[in-house]
Amino acid sequence: DTGVSQNPRHKITKRGQNVTFRCDPISEHNRLYWYRQTLGQGPEFLTYFQNEAQLEKSRLLSDRFSAERPKGSFSTLEIQRTEQGDSAMYLCASSPRKGPSYEQYFGPGTRLTVT
Amino acid sequence: AQRVTQPEKLLSVFKGAPVELKCNYSYSGSPELFWYVQYSRQRLQLLLRHISRESIKGFTADLNKGETSFHLKKPFAQEEDSAMYYCALSGQGGAQKLVFGQGTRLTINP
């Protein structure tokens, strides 16, 4: 197990297009988080899954954003009708079922550029 | 509202000098506090958490509830400590989402 993986690592798209990102958490981690990070800022929480259930969504997550985690394994984050303001690094993290629930293991991120 | 403030965006010290990265937080309950670190071209990783009261790579951090601070300290900085450091907060219960500060870029000069 090499840790949390994210694909693609980089995505360039034109304004108005839809994009989808994938996150594969560490095996058997039941919690999965999405964050967004813009230049010069710390990561900002977007949404959280426990198994397949989406338990919390940030107000940052507009109607154009949707996340899924079918079968409680990998997760996808889709952005519809992208805008230039969506350009950011999108980070995924997972945390285990047992032990301290607060340690989150981060993936390398997907850098989105909207032109 | 949950908020984490790191007042210094950049911090530069010489090798062997003490280093302190400041972190202040705002939270109405009893938070869990963390320091995450991102080395060049690596992913974000946990450095330490206040409940563990441990020293990692020579770094320590004490939670001061009176001053709502969680400053990160190291008595003798090393060049390999150069990285981006983020203070983060998680509330009890709920989703345990992390609220991050804006980060401090630490540079250790030889």
Side-chain angles (χ1 to χ4, degrees):
Chain A
D1 194 335
T2 57
V4 178
S5 62
Q6 293 186 245
N7 288 288
R9 296 290 306 275
H10 304 273
K11 179 70 177 179
I12 301 174
T13 191
K14 292 184 177 180
R15 188 176 54 186
Q17 297 295 305
N18 299 345
V19 293
T20 299
F21 310 141
R22 176 177 171 129
C23 170
D24 287 89
I26 294 173
S27 299
E28 298 183 354
H29 277 195
N30 68 329
R31 297 182 180 90
L32 188 148
Y33 309 79
W34 284 98
Y35 294 86
R36 181 172 67 186
Q37 186 174 22
T38 53
L39 199 62
Q41 300 298 319
E44 294 176 293
F45 171 78
L46 292 179
T47 190
Y48 156 70
F49 291 85
Q50 183 163 306
N51 300 312
E52 66 275 8
Q54 188 174 19
L55 297 188
E56 186 174 347
K57 292 170 59 174
S58 164
R59 295 173 192 173
L60 293 174
L61 218 62
S62 75
D63 292 343
R64 298 184 297 107
F65 288 69
S66 63
E68 294 181 343
R69 192 183 182 197
K71 303 179 182 177
S73 56
F74 71 91
S75 176
T76 58
L77 178 67
E78 181 184 17
I79 309 174
Q80 296 182 326
R81 305 181 302 281
T82 52
E83 302 173 355
Q84 287 189 322
D86 297 331
S87 295
M89 177 74 86
Y90 289 84
L91 297 169
C92 177
S94 68
S95 65
R97 180 188 307 275
K98 294 181 181 178
S101 62
Y102 304 123
E103 178 161 5
Q104 296 183 20
Y105 296 80
F106 282 81
T110 295
R111 182 170 295 284
L112 173 66
T113 302
V114 182
T115 62
Chain B
Q2 301 175 11
R3 183 175 297 168
V4 176
T5 302
Q6 293 179 251
E8 303 139 328
K9 290 195 102 169
L10 303 170
L11 184 62
S12 181
V13 301
F14 286 102
K15 177 182 173 181
V19 62
E20 181 180 41
L21 288 80
K22 291 184 168 52
C23 171
N24 290 89
Y25 68 90
S26 173
Y27 184 71
S28 57
S30 296
E32 301 287 349
L33 273 296
F34 308 83
W35 278 97
Y36 277 79
V37 61
Q38 189 166 26
Y39 300 103
S40 179
R41 288 186 289 276
Q42 293 187 28
R43 61 187 66 189
L44 198 59
Q45 58 186 282
L46 179 66
L47 179 63
L48 54 79
R49 72 193 88 179
H50 91 271
I51 59 173
S52 299
R53 295 182 175 275
E54 57 196 347
S55 173
I56 303 294
K57 299 184 179 182
F59 284 98
T60 58
D62 291 320
L63 179 61
N64 186 323
K65 292 186 178 181
E67 296 182 357
T68 59
S69 68
F70 188 57
H71 304 327
L72 183 68
K73 300 177 183 179
K74 184 170 183 176
F76 307 103
Q78 299 173 309
E79 289 185 64
E80 54 265 33
D81 295 330
S82 294
M84 196 74 187
Y85 290 80
Y86 295 95
C87 182
L89 171 157
S90 179
Q92 284 184 319
Q96 297 97 39
K97 67 185 179 187
L98 290 170
V99 176
F100 286 88
Q102 69 177 9
T104 297
R105 180 168 297 281
L106 176 64
T107 302
I108 308 301
N109 300 305

